[in-house]
Amino acid sequence: MAPIDFGYLLIPQFSMLSLSGVLEPLRMANRMAGKELYRWWLLSPDDQPVEASNGIAITPTSRLSDTIQFDTLIVVAGIDAERQCNSDTKRWLRRHAENGVTMGATSVGTVFLAQSGLLNGYRCTIHWEHIDGFREEFPSLNVTDELYEIDGRRITCSGGSAGLDMMMNLIEQRHGHNLATSVAEQCIHPEIRKSQASQRLSLRNRLNVTNPRLLNAIESMQRHIEDTLNCDQIASQAGLSIRQLDRLFKENIGVTPARFYMDLRLKRANALLTQSAITLTEVQMACGFLTRSHFIRCYREKFGYPPSVERSREVIRNTSPASEG
């Protein structure tokens, strides 16, 4: 059986952890099998060395014009990936997809596939920090919260260690369970997680909160960012009185329920402003603000400047020569 050929398109400011997650399992599979099952090439959009988010520069091993017959191409991206997919890169990705290559992405690399029109009709996922903006930007796509998605000739994962699980799943499909578990042991990764595993820590662990009714109240807030609830409704859904709700928030989190809820909405607004191109009005509505003036006032109080400044910063940063993809 011929080796399976992988290409990795590295986008400036990509995550080194994401790259390792989708590449190192192949190296380990070769070692555990005692033969070359996989080969790989590193590429960059301009064929020049590309700097990761940790400042380490990686030199491509191949040029985009090289005639390599890839089995799978994976876009590895991170910070500011949303703004770096130029027309040449899109054409290059589409050409390989048309030739039957399996197209993949890790972390924010999913944006490249979406902008290239390669995810229509496929399930896909992306890093949790970008999922709200991605869904607003591409409302027709089937975007899930899964750790990774393997859907025919499209493979996407949320980044970081999720790449290990996705790649070991692929290794198991092609070369069997024993080799996949051997690779997992080499990675000190005691369990190959299913795609349905959560991307994030549980609310209980993130907030160090154990009261189930308080957790229910917070979950209600998270489910209703756009169609906001009032405190009476939140308390009712959590099985609490208003007084009990207020006391639980102050004792466990140190803020009122209203303040906590507002912070959730404003954090989402900040994510949409920095990770999508939707308009300020759309951001305002997606975060449950009925009027522009209320949105601007609350955003300024939280971040020290109005939302228009956040969007202007993105435009300036992403049109500067240093950020051109």
Side-chain angles (χ1 to χ4, degrees):
M1 182 183 296
I4 302 168
D5 293 332
F6 276 74
Y8 296 92
L9 181 64
L10 308 182
I11 307 304
Q13 296 303 296
F14 72 92
S15 164
M16 192 71 77
L17 179 59
S18 289
L19 174 61
S20 296
V22 293
L23 194 156
E24 280 295 289
L26 304 185
R27 179 189 66 80
M28 293 179 182
N30 287 351
R31 177 169 174 254
M32 293 298 99
K35 58 183 176 180
E36 189 177 52
L37 301 176
Y38 298 96
R39 298 181 296 196
W40 52 86
W41 288 262
L42 304 179
L43 309 109
S44 73
D46 59 3
D47 296 329
Q48 298 300 310
V50 55
E51 189 173 284
S53 57
N54 61 11
I56 297 175
I58 300 294
T59 300
T61 59
S62 300
R63 302 173 66 85
L64 295 190
S65 58
D66 291 347
T67 55
I68 302 169
Q69 299 300 311
F70 296 111
D71 295 288
T72 301
L73 273 172
I74 296 179
V75 180
V76 185
I79 298 170
D80 287 338
E82 300 92 344
R83 320 293 178 178
Q84 298 190 62
C85 191
N86 60 36
S87 57
D88 289 339
T89 303
K90 292 176 186 176
R91 282 194 295 271
W92 187 82
L93 290 171
R94 285 194 290 262
R95 184 168 67 251
H96 282 283
E98 290 166 1
N99 289 335
V101 175
T102 295
M103 307 302 291
T106 179
S107 188
V108 197
T110 303
V111 171
F112 270 60
L113 300 187
Q115 290 182 351
S116 302
L118 299 177
L119 292 177
N120 298 326
Y122 293 94
R123 296 188 311 275
C124 64
T125 192
I126 194 170
H127 191 280
W128 65 263
E129 191 175 17
H130 295 258
I131 201 162
D132 287 336
F134 188 72
R135 281 176 168 152
E136 292 287 345
E137 189 85 15
F138 302 98
S140 65
L141 294 185
N142 184 2
V143 185
T144 75
D145 298 311
E146 304 287 80
L147 201 64
Y148 57 91
E149 285 286 2
I150 300 174
D151 188 5
R153 291 192 177 275
R154 299 294 182 270
I155 58 174
T156 52
C157 78
S158 52
S161 63
L164 295 174
D165 301 283
M166 182 175 76
M167 298 307 286
M168 285 185 277
N169 187 292
L170 294 174
I171 290 169
E172 182 173 16
Q173 288 181 16
R174 183 60 70 98
H175 298 290
H177 179 73
N178 289 341
L179 181 59
T181 54
S182 294
V183 171
E185 288 189 319
Q186 287 295 310
C187 294
I188 320 298
H189 196 65
E191 180 183 2
I192 302 176
R193 293 174 292 180
K194 300 297 184 183
S195 63
Q196 298 83 6
S198 176
Q199 289 191 29
R200 303 190 68 182
L201 293 173
S202 67
L203 270 178
R204 181 185 299 268
N205 290 328
R206 263 188 282 151
L207 299 176
N208 195 27
V209 167
T210 58
N211 187 290
R213 292 188 176 182
L214 177 56
L215 290 170
N216 286 340
I218 294 171
E219 288 169 353
S220 291
M221 293 176 179
Q222 290 180 325
R223 288 194 303 270
H224 295 275
I225 296 294
E226 183 171 351
D227 55 328
T228 55
L229 305 175
N230 59 42
C231 284
D232 283 331
Q233 292 170 313
I234 294 168
S236 176
Q237 290 189 10
L240 296 165
S241 69
I242 287 288
R243 184 179 297 233
Q244 290 172 321
L245 181 71
D246 190 67
R247 178 178 57 80
L248 283 174
F249 266 91
K250 288 179 178 177
E251 288 180 354
N252 290 270
I253 302 178
V255 297
T256 65
R259 181 70 265 170
F260 185 87
Y261 199 7
M262 178 62 72
D263 283 347
L264 281 180
R265 294 161 60 198
L266 291 171
K267 286 176 183 176
R268 186 183 185 197
N270 179 263
L272 294 177
L273 287 168
T274 57
Q275 299 165 15
S276 76
I278 65 175
T279 67
L280 291 180
T281 299
E282 290 171 324
V283 173
Q284 167 201 321
M285 296 176 65
C287 298
F289 292 94
L290 297 180
T291 67
R292 174 70 67 91
S293 60
H294 186 215
F295 175 46
I296 292 172
R297 183 173 69 254
C298 293
Y299 197 94
R300 189 194 297 272
E301 289 174 357
K302 171 72 174 175
F303 296 104
Y305 47 82
S308 58
V309 170
E310 192 77 75
R311 180 52 57 81
S312 297
R313 287 177 174 175
E314 286 298 300
V315 171
I316 292 170
R317 182 170 64 186
N318 294 302
T319 56
S320 64
S323 68
E324 291 177 359

